[in-house]
Amino acid sequence: MSKFDKEQILRTSGVNVLKCMRCGKCSATCPSYDEMEYHPHQFVYMVEKGEIDKLMQSPSIYKCLSCYACVERCPRGVEPAKIVEAVRLQVIRQAGKNHLTPDDIPALLDEDLPQQAIVTAMRKYSK
Amino acid sequence: MNFSYYPGCTLKNKAQDLDRYARLSAEKLGIHLEELSEWQCCGGAFSMGKDEIASKLAAVRALAAARDAGQDLVTLCSACHNVLKQANDAMAHDEEFSQHANNYMQLDKPYKGETRVVHYLELLRDVVGFDALKKAVVNPLKGQKIAAYYGCLLLRPSKVMQMDNPENPKILEDFIRAIGAEPVLYANRNECCGGYAVLEDRAIAQKKSSAVVANAADQGAQRLITACPLCEYNLRKNAEKALPVSYFTELLAEALGVKE
Ligand code: SF4
Ligand code: SF4
């Protein structure tokens, strides 16, 4: 039994994983597909199975670009990105588990980088 | 005509051209954008978690301020637009979240999603009208082949954004026609540029942006336009093939003869 709660993921995301028909369209359209160990349809399936720990430990949770392609194109309205987000939130809400800290930022800057990139990454990667 | 206006953090800094040319053009078209007297950064991305409260409040405060001013709220940056629209939708339709947010903010009058959020492009299409815009153009950009880059956040999730057809949009192409140029259609116009992941994984931004620019160039585009500072950055800095990338407002100001 996982110490992490499948119910919490479902509550945070608001997703009904049982609607998924495993067609894989979300993963086929995902711009981060090549970068991910687990793909959007696997997130949905693994949350259904309660395999939360594996997802929480995977770098895949930091690879979602929040492009909403999977949300838009899923024929069943499952909204897989919300599952990815909920798993990542479950990780970074723990003390000391931020994926990006303000101290990391200066080394990542260049003179043209828009503020939007920094605030978005901070919002996605840390609490 | 008066509208409340939410510029967002990047338009005050790296994307000043997006903002400046929008204001100059709006005045020329008889539209007055009143910047909200107080606003905070929207956070760049909507927190999709239903139990995320604090990270949505900056957006909700801006929405409530526009409601109190009795005005529609105009946005320009694709990301701010996306966050404000989604936060507004949550305030209108997610009762539990809306109640938490209102309890937290203690506004004089609870906010329930009353404000209409209007992207600057929607202002051009629905308030000014592209036919009227065409008539106001003094320097048509004749002979220019321009590829519209929508990216992700202007159109998706379409259920909430309701700006255009998410898979076959035309608002930017109609805009390009109105300023006298020729739109170039290409498959990648609504595929991701790599977004904020560029911060820690430049390779993905290079891969995604290169695909967009190469696809536009293959279809004969001479330049690209966008409404998003991060798309502008990725397409300009991270694509293999170089095509000029501009904010749509810069071309608008040029066509209207107000570009300084
Ligand atoms: S597109 Fe939707 S239905 Fe198909 S696998 Fe993905 S989540 Fe399931
Ligand atoms: S929102 Fe995330 S998971 Fe969904 S298609 Fe885009 S990058 Fe992939």
Side-chain angles (χ1 to χ4, degrees), chain A residues 26 29-33 36 40 63-71 80-81 84, chain B residues 48:
Chain A
C26 50
T29 200
C30 176
S32 252
Y33 183 88
M36 286 175 160
K63 296 297 178 188
C64 168
L65 307 170
S66 287
C67 75
Y68 294 98
C70 58
V71 172
V84 181
Chain B
M48 286 181 257

Side-chain angles (χ1 to χ4, degrees), chain B residues 188 193 203-216 234-235 238-241:
Chain B
N188 278 36
C193 68
I204 179 134
Q206 284 167 340
K207 195 159 112 185
K208 296 296 147 190
S209 296
S210 294
V212 170
V213 177
N215 185 211
N234 275 333
L235 297 183
N238 292 319
E240 259 165 48
K241 188 171 174 62

